[in-house]
Amino acid sequence: MTADRRFFLARTAGLRAGLAVACCVLALACAAPARAQEQTSLIRPSLEPSPAPVAKPAFRGTYKRVGKPVRSGKSTVQKPARGVAAVRLPGDAPLAPPVGTAPPAAKPAPALPEVTATVRRKPVREIDPFAPTGVQVGAFVLKPSLDSSAGYTTNPDQIAGTRKGSWTVREEGAVQVDSTWSRHAFSANLRGGYSDFLDAPGASRPDAEGLARLRLDVSRDTVVDLTTNGRLSTQQAGIEQPIVGSKRALILDYGAAAGVTETFGRLSFGLKGGIARTEYGSLALAGGTSLDQSDRNVTAFEGRLRVGYALSPAIQPFAETTLDHRVRDTALDSAGFRRNSVGTAVRTGAVLAFSELLTGEISAGYGWRNYDDPRLATVGAALLDASLIWSPTALTTVTLRAGSEIAETSLTTSAGAVVHKAGFEVAHALRRNLTITGAIEASRTDYQGAAVTEDRLAAALKLDWKLNRTVVVRASAAHERLQSSIPGNDYTANVYLLGLRLQR
């Protein structure tokens, strides 16, 4: 065989080997998809694509990241475990329809019913355009006022029998203080006045009163209350005024109290302690002499415990017990009795807070008082206390007050006097700057062991015309009456006043 023949045969064999290798590679390439689809059919149902790739977040939650962050180029496809059927999760891509089948037409979602939202807004309380604005002094707002009036009274001495009227002038000043702190609170009300009877100088008399309160919000559930009060008045005509027709003696009452209230959920406990003192001035007599009344001066120490339970934000029932000790400045009074005493009282009631419709407190109970002198019998009486404010309309306000107490007395044959008081006041705005107010109060004093009673009645009608925030014109008419079981102590008096009030 020639060299050319051998070269031709070798070249032909190389081409045949290359062609065989190419056919094998092509066969392997065609068989790979079939094996991949067969493997997929073992894992997921036929014609179902593999789940859409889900990327793992680089950070989970708000905890501090630990480890290296996931690189953006690294595959984060979640592969199903071998031999386990894939489970569809919310958010997976929808299944593709079979090959050659048209996807079903999307059905429109049913129309939702139209919803009209009704927004209930709390009514905004209108600001009184005639209310005093006050004066800002640091963290406090001061609201001072000055009243000056003149008029006539039919019985300035408040005595029975022949009465002589008198022209009268009344001057009064007051100031209200309120804090503007974001926490805690302070408030004070101070008032002082003088009634001058031009035709009966002996009946002229001063009067004053003040109350200050500091509330400390120690915590969300602990509140401390500190109060102090004072009152200057004169003896009222009647049994307590020993000599009829004499100039009235001054009476000074003052005291202080501290209390703490602790709340445990709906249950609350309140503990309060205080001291109160009453001092009597000398009684001026005809001829320049006077009658000493210092034996009537008394100091009272009181402790009170209250337990309440909030049924709702509007009603909180409570039970309360009070213990007090009254000590006279002198061991024996002018009649030779030891009138130091110990008193006990129990009450049950409720605190009401029905928004601005009805607020206040009402309670009822029973009280006892035992005296050091065995000749003085124990005094017991039912007790009723109430302080409620009712606003049936935006123009009308009704105030109800009631109170009971076992009071001290100078009546020789009586151990103590049981006093019951009740009254209400109605204020109605005829116009935004014109208000009419009517008030009536009745009281009954029963002197235990002496079969003596006194009934008092006071009624008043007042009209306020606010010219602006500063000037108010006032007119009033008042009626007072006393009926006593002892002859010669009854009296009736009418007072008419017209004046001007300046306020800030």
Side-chain angles (χ1 to χ4, degrees):
M1 183 179 297
T2 63
D4 293 338
R5 180 64 178 176
R6 285 195 302 269
F7 175 76
F8 176 79
L9 293 177
R11 187 175 182 181
T12 302
L15 291 175
R16 289 179 180 176
L19 183 59
V21 172
C23 291
C24 291
V25 173
L26 182 59
L28 292 175
C30 295
R35 287 196 302 269
Q37 185 169 352
E38 180 181 358
Q39 181 180 358
T40 304
S41 63
L42 296 177
I43 299 176
R44 302 178 63 89
S46 60
L47 302 181
E48 179 180 353
S50 51
V54 178
K56 294 182 180 180
F59 298 94
R60 294 183 180 271
T62 57
Y63 295 98
K64 185 177 179 181
R65 174 187 173 277
V66 179
K68 298 181 179 179
V70 178
R71 297 181 180 179
S72 57
K74 186 178 180 180
S75 175
T76 57
V77 178
Q78 296 180 351
K79 297 182 179 180
R82 185 180 299 275
V84 179
V87 178
R88 292 189 53 77
L89 300 175
D92 284 356
L95 296 177
V99 179
T101 305
K107 297 182 179 180
L112 296 177
E114 184 178 356
V115 179
T116 304
T118 303
V119 180
R120 296 184 179 180
R121 296 182 179 179
K122 185 178 180 180
V124 179
R125 190 176 183 85
E126 183 180 2
I127 299 177
D128 186 358
F130 295 95
T133 57
V135 180
Q136 186 76 33
V137 180
F140 300 92
V141 176
L142 279 64
K143 295 182 179 180
S145 63
L146 179 63
D147 290 83
S148 181
S149 56
Y152 186 82
T153 177
T154 60
N155 188 0
D157 291 307
Q158 297 180 334
I159 58 177
T162 304
R163 302 180 297 274
K164 180 182 178 181
S166 172
W167 293 99
T168 179
V169 175
R170 169 77 179 172
E171 301 292 338
E172 181 178 316
V175 60
Q176 178 182 340
V177 183
D178 293 293
S179 65
T180 58
W181 303 331
S182 59
R183 185 180 180 186
H184 315 305
F186 175 82
S187 63
N189 287 280
L190 307 175
R191 183 195 62 79
Y194 189 83
S195 299
D196 187 9
F197 300 96
L198 305 182
D199 300 323
S204 300
R205 50 187 177 267
D207 59 275
E209 61 182 347
L211 174 65
R213 179 189 178 190
L214 175 62
R215 190 196 74 224
L216 301 175
D217 301 323
V218 179
S219 67
R220 185 185 64 178
D221 300 323
T222 305
V223 177
V224 175
D225 281 303
L226 305 176
T227 59
T228 180
N229 66 286
R231 183 172 181 264
L232 177 67
S233 59
T234 55
Q235 283 182 290
Q236 291 183 328
I239 296 176
E240 298 300 333
Q241 176 99 353
I243 300 178
V244 179
S246 62
K247 187 175 181 179
R248 296 184 175 188
L250 296 177
I251 303 176
L252 179 61
D253 298 280
Y254 57 93
V260 58
T261 302
E262 187 72 24
T263 303
F264 302 92
R266 294 192 175 189
L267 193 64
S268 63
F269 294 88
L271 183 62
K272 183 178 182 180
I275 180 173
R277 180 166 173 80
T278 302
E279 297 180 1
Y280 288 82
S282 299
L283 189 63
L285 304 177
T289 60
S290 62
L291 176 65
D292 183 24
Q293 299 187 99
S294 60
D295 63 317
R296 301 184 63 180
N297 296 347
V298 60
T299 303
F301 305 90
E302 181 180 288
R304 181 180 303 175
L305 175 64
R306 172 181 289 193
V307 180
Y309 184 81
L311 292 178
S312 68
I315 303 177
Q316 179 180 339
F318 67 84
E320 179 182 277
T321 180
T322 304
L323 180 66
D324 71 88
H325 185 203
R326 295 178 182 176
V327 181
R328 297 274 186 132
D329 286 2
T330 58
L332 302 176
D333 65 358
S334 58
F337 289 93
R338 297 194 302 271
R339 291 189 175 271
N340 293 349
S341 62
V342 175
T344 306
V346 291
R347 293 181 177 89
T348 182
V351 177
L352 307 178
F354 292 93
S355 183
E356 297 181 355
L357 180 63
L358 179 63
T359 58
E361 178 179 311
I362 185 170
S363 65
Y366 198 86
W368 304 265
R369 182 159 296 281
N370 299 311
Y371 296 87
D372 291 352
D373 200 314
R375 294 173 294 176
L376 300 176
T378 300
V379 178
L383 305 177
L384 175 64
D385 294 276
S387 178
L388 301 173
I389 299 178
W390 177 41
S391 302
T393 68
L395 303 177
T396 306
T397 302
V398 180
T399 304
L400 173 64
R401 294 186 179 91
S404 303
E405 65 171 333
I406 301 177
E408 299 292 306
T409 179
S410 61
L411 193 61
T412 303
T413 57
S414 175
V418 178
V419 182
H420 297 286
K421 295 181 180 180
F424 69 92
E425 178 183 285
V426 180
H428 181 72
L430 301 176
R431 300 187 65 180
R432 299 178 71 179
N433 63 334
L434 186 62
T435 304
I436 184 171
T437 305
I440 185 170
E441 181 180 272
S443 67
R444 183 179 182 87
T445 305
D446 187 0
Y447 293 87
Q448 301 294 302
V452 177
T453 59
E454 286 183 338
D455 295 323
R456 297 180 184 271
L457 178 66
L461 187 64
K462 181 175 64 176
L463 187 67
D464 286 347
W465 179 24
K466 302 176 182 178
L467 302 181
N468 49 46
R469 290 182 181 271
T470 305
V471 182
V472 182
V473 178
R474 284 187 161 182
S476 64
H479 173 79
E480 299 178 8
R481 175 177 297 180
L482 170 66
Q483 292 182 345
S484 175
S485 59
I486 298 180
N489 285 342
D490 299 351
Y491 78 87
T492 300
N494 297 317
V495 182
Y496 309 96
L497 294 174
L498 178 64
L500 196 67
R501 176 171 187 165
L502 302 179
Q503 61 186 15
R504 183 69 172 86

